[in-house]
Amino acid sequence: MDAEQKQRNDQKALEAGSDMGRTLEITGKQQEKNPEKGAEKGADPENGDAVRRRGHETSELEAATHLFKGSVGAGLFAMGDCFKNGGLAGATILLPIIAVMCVHCERMLIRGSVLAVERTPGVDFLDYPETVEKSFEHGPRPLRKMSRFMKLVVEMFLCVTQFGFCAIYFVFITENLYQVFQQNGIDISMSMVMLITLLPAMIPSLMTNLKYISPVSLFANVALLFGLVATLTIAFSDGPMPSVGDRHLFTGGAQLALFFGTALFSYEGIALILPLRNSMRKPENFSTRFGVLNSTMFLTTALFIFTGFVSYVRWGEEVAGSITLNLVVEEIFSQVVKVVAALGVFLGYPIQFFVMIKILWPPLKRSNNCAQKYPITIQVCLRFIMVMMTFGVALVVPKLNLFISLIGALCSTCLAFVIPVMIDFVTRAQVPKGLGVWSYIKNILILTVAVLGIVTGTYQSIVEIVKEFK
């Protein structure tokens, strides 16, 4: 098999996804077993055609594990800041509401994808961008011309979200290592620490073969879990917990806007829903009442609330954008926790980066003769440029928590709420009986909340970032 064919097989292995590249675990093994098999006959992933993965089919437990790991990542460490902006009672009430809205929109996405597959001959699986494209393609006649545009919009939001993840990873790693360096007498600037992390992040990100970077995912997950458990253990053991009465129960205005963005960033796993469902032996069990989706989101929300509540009660208004930054850096164990957590995030960078390249590379290759003639060389150049861009953005954005809130408010809200509602409107408009009155009211209510979150969250995040620059 030549290098170009290997590259295609690698690119097919990963659906546009969320934190830590969870779909690697679904598709990687079967590609290694039979690398010659790719898409079904007639499907060309380079041109965005739908394909269905064959080989190992996951159980409900495996799918739930993948979804849980896809939903619990760097955003989990920001839950203390999330509760600071939402208040102890406010965040505890609002997080489950946001979770219910996310689950409902994910179910609408699944229903829209199933309908789109039924209307598309020769296809039995569609990912998120393709579902949007086919839904509009088979929707009301005036909207059909928008199908390609809507697919590009979703791909753009997915790409921007992954770009944001990668930049946030640089900031997360740098802030934790900076504290450790300072404590051990290594007096260098934050920018220099970030520059030190650039080369280790660059090397694996330039690799075009997925099998060389996918094994780090498991170790990254273990490191992140250790960092969380150790941080919460320190929070409980570091003297008596402050009184709940010393903390804000509710907040409002600008702080709520930042809360909304951080919460949506943390719940951003909607791009994983369709690939995970498709990988199951019994896909219909994914979204039943006590199925994979509902159970996993319940556990994720409980973990978010517990982590955020404990972090805010312990550190109050001093809680940082990552709770690892609140650990007493003079203690050796705290330094170990910071380094291990930073390592866990660092090892996730090339996998998150692969998702972004998977979106950017196919259209570039189709439209550029040089990319077709020298695919490996051009792709490596693209990867180098994108790594430097994520590094540059991370270098100029001073606050991790504001960056997380900005990405969540702008991109995560559109992917989690706005697009699924549009799919529901478009697909059910073509079905007998269509949308009832209550469905219209419900969808409009979701869109209203989403638009308010986008406008207020994005505006307030930008305002706070500008203040930091000043």
Side-chain angles (χ1 to χ4, degrees):
M1 185 186 302
D2 58 20
E4 179 61 25
Q5 182 64 34
K6 287 182 180 179
Q7 182 177 328
R8 288 187 180 183
N9 284 340
D10 289 337
Q11 288 173 335
K12 289 185 290 185
L14 188 57
E15 296 296 329
S18 178
D19 205 14
M20 306 304 295
R22 309 302 183 224
T23 48
L24 299 175
E25 301 176 44
I26 301 170
T27 60
K29 291 183 179 179
Q30 64 202 57
Q31 285 188 324
E32 293 176 4
K33 291 179 181 179
N34 199 345
E36 297 293 337
K37 289 187 179 182
E40 290 188 45
K41 184 178 180 180
D44 181 9
E46 291 283 353
N47 293 322
D49 292 340
V51 294
R52 182 178 177 90
R53 277 59 179 161
R54 299 296 184 185
H56 175 68
E57 293 180 326
T58 59
S59 65
E60 293 178 29
L61 179 60
E62 289 173 323
T65 301
H66 295 320
L67 182 58
F68 179 78
K69 289 189 291 185
S71 302
V72 176
L76 178 59
F77 290 95
M79 277 296 111
D81 182 71
C82 186
F83 267 67
K84 180 183 74 173
N85 289 322
L88 283 178
T92 303
I93 295 170
L94 290 175
L95 271 177
I97 294 175
I98 291 175
V100 170
M101 292 176 62
C102 286
V103 169
H104 180 72
C105 289
E106 288 163 352
R107 294 171 73 93
M108 287 196 294
L109 175 63
I110 292 171
R111 182 172 58 210
S113 183
V114 171
L115 288 174
V117 167
E118 291 175 354
R119 297 168 183 173
T120 307
V123 170
D124 61 357
F125 170 66
L126 296 169
D127 64 12
Y128 196 165
E130 291 161 354
T131 294
V132 175
E133 181 183 32
K134 297 301 180 182
S135 296
F136 275 78
E137 194 173 289
H138 299 291
R141 191 172 298 275
L143 301 179
R144 292 177 184 177
K145 293 181 179 180
M146 297 176 58
S147 60
R148 180 62 182 168
F149 170 76
M150 290 304 301
K151 179 184 179 182
L152 292 175
V153 168
V154 173
E155 288 180 332
M156 180 190 70
F157 279 127
L158 286 171
C159 190
V160 171
T161 301
Q162 294 305 129
F163 185 94
F165 285 153
C166 291
I168 288 168
Y169 282 9
F170 265 122
V171 178
F172 183 95
I173 296 164
T174 300
E175 290 187 342
N176 281 277
L177 292 183
Y178 176 76
Q179 287 188 345
V180 176
F181 286 164
Q182 292 293 307
Q183 178 59 30
N184 289 277
I186 305 175
D187 189 16
I188 57 178
S189 67
M190 187 88 74
S191 300
M192 185 58 65
V193 176
M194 189 175 293
L195 186 61
I196 292 173
T197 67
L198 176 60
L199 184 60
M202 176 74 74
I203 294 174
S205 298
L206 295 180
M207 295 179 182
T208 60
N209 197 324
L210 187 61
K211 70 179 181 181
Y212 296 130
I213 62 175
S214 58
V216 304
S217 178
L218 177 60
F219 185 79
N221 295 332
V222 173
L224 283 174
L225 183 60
F226 169 80
L228 175 66
V229 173
T231 301
L232 293 180
T233 300
I234 293 173
F236 277 112
S237 60
D238 191 19
M241 292 288 284
S243 171
V244 172
D246 295 336
R247 308 300 181 217
H248 295 297
L249 295 180
F250 296 94
T251 60
Q255 281 190 290
L256 270 182
L258 294 176
F259 160 82
F260 184 82
T262 304
L264 258 295
F265 174 90
S266 303
Y267 275 117
E268 181 51 42
I270 193 167
L272 282 174
I273 297 301
L274 296 179
L276 285 175
R277 181 183 182 275
N278 179 65
S279 73
M280 291 177 60
R281 297 190 190 100
K282 297 180 179 180
E284 63 276 7
N285 291 343
F286 184 82
S287 53
T288 56
R289 178 175 297 179
F290 299 104
V292 172
L293 181 60
N294 290 354
S295 301
T296 305
M297 289 298 286
F298 176 82
L299 291 175
T300 300
T301 303
L303 182 60
F304 283 169
I305 292 175
F306 179 75
T307 302
F309 195 97
V310 171
S311 302
Y312 182 47
V313 170
R314 165 56 69 188
W315 293 296
E317 300 303 311
E318 300 301 319
V319 69
S322 168
I323 56 177
T324 56
L325 299 175
N326 288 106
L327 302 181
V328 180
V329 73
E330 289 80 8
E331 298 178 1
I332 299 298
F333 183 63
S334 295
Q335 294 181 35
V336 172
V337 173
K338 291 173 184 287
V339 172
V340 172
L343 182 62
V345 172
F346 170 77
L347 293 176
Y349 179 92
I351 300 175
Q352 290 293 338
F353 188 80
F354 194 95
V355 177
M356 180 169 59
I357 295 298
K358 190 259 183 186
I359 299 171
L360 293 175
W361 173 243
L364 176 63
K365 182 181 177 182
R366 287 195 300 265
S367 60
N368 190 289
N369 291 331
C370 288
Q372 295 175 12
K373 190 174 182 180
Y374 307 104
I376 301 299
T377 302
I378 300 300
Q379 185 175 160
V380 169
C381 291
L382 173 65
R383 288 168 175 268
F384 177 83
I385 293 171
M386 295 309 298
V387 171
M388 293 305 299
M389 288 180 65
T390 59
F391 172 79
V393 170
L395 194 62
V396 300
V397 176
K399 286 287 186 177
L400 175 66
N401 58 323
L402 298 179
F403 203 167
I404 288 176
S405 183
L406 177 61
I407 295 297
L410 181 60
C411 299
S412 300
T413 307
C414 289
L415 291 172
F417 292 156
V418 178
I419 303 298
V421 169
M422 294 177 68
I423 292 174
D424 193 54
F425 275 129
V426 170
T427 54
R428 295 179 68 182
Q430 300 294 96
V431 177
K433 296 184 180 180
L435 285 163
V437 175
W438 288 112
S439 294
Y440 272 108
I441 295 175
K442 176 260 300 177
N443 283 353
I444 291 173
L445 180 61
I446 293 175
L447 283 178
T448 302
V449 172
V451 171
L452 285 174
I454 292 171
V455 174
T456 59
T458 302
Y459 172 78
Q460 191 59 38
S461 297
I462 293 175
V463 167
E464 295 296 330
I465 289 174
V466 171
K467 285 182 180 179
E468 289 296 329
F469 276 110
K470 291 181 177 179

